[in-house]
Amino acid sequence: MTVFSVWAPEKPVKLRLGDRDFAMEAGEDGWWHVDVPDPDVTDYGFILPDQEKPLPDPRSPWQPDGVHGLSRVYDHSAFAWTDQGWTGRQLPGSVLYELHIGTFTPEGTFDSAIERLDHLVDLGVDLVELLPVNAFNGTYNWGYDGVCWFAPHEAYGGPDGLKRFVDAAHAKGLGVVLDVVYNHFGPSGAYAPMFAPYLSSGSNAWGSSVNLDGPGSEEVRRYIVDSVLMWLRDYHIDGLRLDAVHALHDEGAVHLLEQMAVEVETLSTELRRPLSLIAESDLNDAKLITPREAGGYGLHAQWDDDVHHALHTLLTGERQGYYGDFGSLDCLRTVLEGAFFHAGTWSSFRGRRHGRPVDRQRTAGHRFVTFLQNHDQIGNRAIGDRLTATLSPGLLKVGATLLLTSPFTPMLFMGEEWAASSPWQYFTSHPEPDLAAAVQNGRRKEFAAHGWSEAEVPDPQDPATFERSKLDWSEPGKPGHAEILELYRKLIRLRRSTPGLSDPWLHKVEVWHGDQHVVIRRGPTVVAANLAETPQTVSVRALPRSVLLATSPGVIVERDRLVLPPESAAVVSVR
């Protein structure tokens, strides 16, 4: 017996199964149900009164023919998992690695990504963070246009492919974090709003807002939370990165994020392994990661763009747009000691005060995910250029050292660890001509306003843009790339083996700086960086015991000072 159900308040619904239609019975709260004894076909859809074509299930677990096709029944219990001994990976102390399945390997599938897991194990990361993999229209894009929040994208390998990837990662000791998008539906194939009030009258930067607090919102919230629990329970995912939570408009007494935290904690207790919720937020408000007992939402971590902006501007000299307030060594000191730069302070980009201070004694640094590069900060540049295209090898090494010796949870973007030369550009494969044209024109206009010509901005719809964005796996062993890769390996090992670097407490971080140099003390460990093109003598305000790591040869110890080569960094233990 197979039970088919769908939520469609005040709309009678029929089930289309193969070439037969089945009347559905109304249940409570707008749900419709029908039991079909041992169906000999597994592809199905629902027919609404004003539609002749069967529509895919809003909770479809599998879309083998794309988001406009029929749904397919999927039995989660049929997969033969081998990770029964997996006890999980907690976020504190971990290093994350962000990757996009479609461009991580030439083949762009879950199975081909499995073949590269040994590289990540050797690198030393703990958690692999996948950009969104739920079903979207077209063959490839970044994943943020998803419309089926329960179904992995078929071109990547579908439900079984994702399970094989997670199972293989766990076998190698790697946890898996999945990026999920609940703040909007993509522009093509979003059939759920035809069934029920999934959308509100409001909007955000990507389209109509999801209905979290209006009439019918209780089932919409259930829809989202059930998706959250499904990824963690049925796909054995270890954590979720929640996209742009500032766009989740919810005026209810219990915010959707708090509801998620409560139900994920319950599931974590049931499964007896840690499950992490990581928010991407533009608010600079630690309430998201404050425990519920202290009046917060109880999420485990949040992305911290301010740390990225401080590092990026200092290393590159860029100051345009939202980088305007960043770039000084004072700014770097502020974020390394307190996580946020805008903490109730003036933001010239926003034209107002922004953020609130972090309690350094009560909020651990591991609750902030930080990065030198990520999909947004590369892909949303006009030509998708990485830092490799801008910085010298010396400054790349300085940046890596400052990131991986920070008190935060560091995240790398795929290929960063070997200074990949391939760009990571904005790419789409919308089959609808009007939508494709709108994306192409919108991209051109956006960057024309910043002085870029049309010829310079890659066409998102051109397959070559997608192909250019794939990693070149011949590079890690080549001169220049191999040296950067070895530094990343050493830094991750050093971070794990040095108590001063693994200590997450922000109130123990002390930063001082001079002309083009900065020094960070973390207990018995000091990190010193010279950003100048000439050698510099830097006071570490203590007597060094030993040099634990240097990005360039020739570091000289002189009593309580270090002589650093140009564009270099060193990590030393001190008395």
Side-chain angles (χ1 to χ4, degrees):
M1 184 73 71
T2 301
V3 180
F4 295 88
S5 302
V6 67
W7 181 53
E10 302 179 0
K11 290 183 180 181
V13 186
K14 291 188 294 185
L15 169 71
R16 171 75 54 84
L17 188 62
D19 57 1
R20 295 181 60 192
D21 289 349
F22 296 82
M24 303 186 75
E25 294 184 5
E28 296 182 357
D29 301 322
W31 280 89
W32 297 82
H33 310 275
V34 63
D35 298 346
V36 180
D38 302 321
D40 55 0
V41 293
T42 56
D43 288 358
Y44 69 98
F46 296 114
I47 302 177
L48 295 176
D50 54 349
Q51 297 288 323
E52 295 182 3
K53 179 184 175 182
L55 305 179
D57 185 353
R59 288 177 175 246
S60 171
W62 192 2
Q63 288 297 122
D65 297 317
V67 298
H68 296 293
L70 293 174
S71 302
R72 181 169 293 174
V73 174
Y74 182 79
D75 181 3
H76 279 290
S77 67
F79 186 83
W81 289 96
T82 66
D83 67 347
Q84 289 79 8
W86 176 249
T87 57
R89 282 285 176 272
Q90 66 171 13
L91 196 62
S94 290
V95 176
L96 285 86
Y97 186 95
E98 185 185 37
L99 66 87
H100 176 263
I101 287 294
T103 52
F104 184 56
T105 64
E107 300 82 1
T109 64
F110 295 123
D111 288 329
S112 62
I114 290 172
E115 298 173 8
R116 298 295 180 179
L117 290 178
D118 284 338
H119 168 82
L120 303 184
V121 172
D122 186 51
L123 178 60
V125 300
D126 305 281
L127 292 162
V128 181
E129 180 172 318
L130 305 180
L131 268 68
V133 302
N134 58 296
F136 53 82
N137 195 28
T139 306
Y140 53 81
N141 69 27
W142 282 15
Y144 296 91
D145 286 335
V147 292
C148 299
W149 294 355
F150 292 74
H153 188 53
E154 186 67 12
Y156 293 161
D160 279 0
L162 177 56
K163 289 184 177 181
R164 287 192 296 270
F165 178 86
V166 175
D167 200 44
H170 288 173
K172 295 183 181 296
L174 298 168
V176 180
V177 175
L178 180 62
D179 196 339
V180 289
V181 184
Y182 297 123
N183 52 56
H184 75 288
F185 288 95
S188 178
Y191 291 104
M194 296 176 66
F195 287 82
Y198 285 92
L199 301 177
S200 73
S201 59
S203 63
N204 55 44
W206 306 283
S208 297
S209 297
V210 178
N211 174 24
L212 301 179
D213 53 11
S217 59
E218 186 171 341
E219 284 293 348
V220 179
R221 295 165 71 98
R222 190 71 260 157
Y223 178 76
I224 294 173
V225 175
D226 284 351
S227 171
V228 165
L229 299 178
M230 178 211 63
W231 295 120
L232 300 171
R233 179 190 60 242
D234 298 332
Y235 286 92
H236 294 202
I237 298 291
D238 299 284
L240 300 176
R241 182 262 193 188
L242 307 168
D243 180 67
V245 299
H246 50 272
L248 296 171
H249 181 81
D250 183 3
E251 296 184 1
V254 178
H255 195 281
L256 175 68
L257 295 175
E258 184 179 354
Q259 181 180 346
M260 282 185 196
V262 170
E263 298 203 32
V264 167
E265 185 68 21
T266 300
L267 182 62
S268 176
T269 304
E270 174 190 335
L271 299 178
R272 300 179 66 187
R273 60 182 173 90
L275 302 173
S276 300
L277 292 176
I278 305 167
E280 182 204 17
S281 173
D282 185 42
L283 301 178
N284 279 24
D285 187 353
K287 181 179 182 179
L288 296 170
I289 55 175
T290 300
R292 293 179 62 246
E293 303 92 304
Y297 289 165
L299 304 181
H300 301 92
Q302 67 182 89
W303 276 27
D304 189 341
D305 281 336
D306 282 17
V307 174
H308 167 270
H309 297 351
L311 288 170
H312 183 92
T313 52
L314 187 64
L315 294 169
T316 66
E318 294 182 9
R319 298 291 188 277
Q320 74 276 16
Y322 52 72
Y323 290 149
D325 294 334
F326 298 84
S328 69
L329 286 165
D330 269 336
C331 170
L332 182 64
R333 175 183 60 79
T334 298
V335 298
L336 289 177
E337 291 183 346
F340 294 147
F341 180 67
H342 290 305
T345 55
W346 181 259
S347 165
S348 61
F349 177 71
R350 298 174 178 86
R352 59 171 173 78
R353 290 185 178 274
H354 184 66
R356 69 167 66 181
V358 171
D359 188 330
R360 299 174 65 220
Q361 299 219 7
R362 290 182 170 85
T363 305
H366 64 69
R367 292 188 177 275
F368 301 93
V369 175
T370 57
F371 31 82
L372 267 178
Q373 304 180 75
N374 66 29
H375 73 276
D376 269 332
Q377 301 301 339
I378 300 173
N380 282 325
R381 296 171 66 82
I383 58 174
D385 51 319
R386 296 170 179 260
L387 286 177
T388 314
T390 304
L391 298 182
S392 66
L395 287 180
L396 282 175
K397 295 175 184 178
V398 169
T401 302
L402 293 174
L403 174 72
L404 287 166
T405 61
S406 75
F408 311 113
T409 296
M411 185 182 77
L412 314 180
F413 182 70
M414 62 178 197
E416 171 189 339
E417 71 275 18
W418 74 71
S421 64
S422 55
W424 203 73
Q425 298 176 333
Y426 182 67
F427 47 82
T428 56
S429 60
H430 297 300
E432 301 93 340
D434 289 347
L435 181 55
V439 171
Q440 291 166 322
N441 294 332
R443 194 74 176 173
R444 294 183 187 120
K445 289 179 181 178
E446 177 184 357
F447 289 103
H450 297 285
W452 294 85
S453 69
E454 285 190 13
E456 292 175 297
V457 180
D459 178 359
Q461 285 286 122
D462 185 346
T465 304
F466 172 61
E467 293 297 326
R468 274 193 301 271
S469 299
K470 293 188 176 187
L471 290 178
D472 178 356
W473 282 94
S474 71
E475 287 186 338
K478 292 181 178 179
H481 298 289
E483 182 184 0
I484 297 291
L485 178 57
E486 184 56 28
L487 175 67
Y488 270 83
R489 289 170 177 156
K490 288 180 178 178
L491 282 166
I492 292 172
R493 287 198 298 268
L494 185 65
R495 178 183 180 87
R496 185 167 290 124
S497 63
T498 308
L501 298 182
S502 59
D503 188 335
W505 292 107
L506 296 175
H507 69 279
K508 296 182 181 180
V509 180
E510 182 184 5
V511 181
W512 60 93
H513 59 83
D515 182 19
Q516 290 189 280
H517 71 263
V518 62
V519 183
I520 305 103
R521 177 156 187 174
R522 301 187 60 202
T525 307
V526 167
V527 181
N530 174 21
L531 288 83
E533 296 180 351
T534 56
Q536 289 215 72
T537 300
V538 175
S539 171
V540 296
R541 300 182 184 178
L543 295 177
R545 293 178 180 270
S546 61
V547 177
L548 303 176
L549 180 144
T551 63
S552 297
V555 174
I556 301 172
V557 178
E558 295 180 347
R559 291 183 172 271
D560 62 347
R561 297 176 297 175
L562 299 178
V563 181
L564 297 176
E567 296 182 347
S568 70
V571 184
V572 299
S573 63
V574 297
R575 301 177 189 178

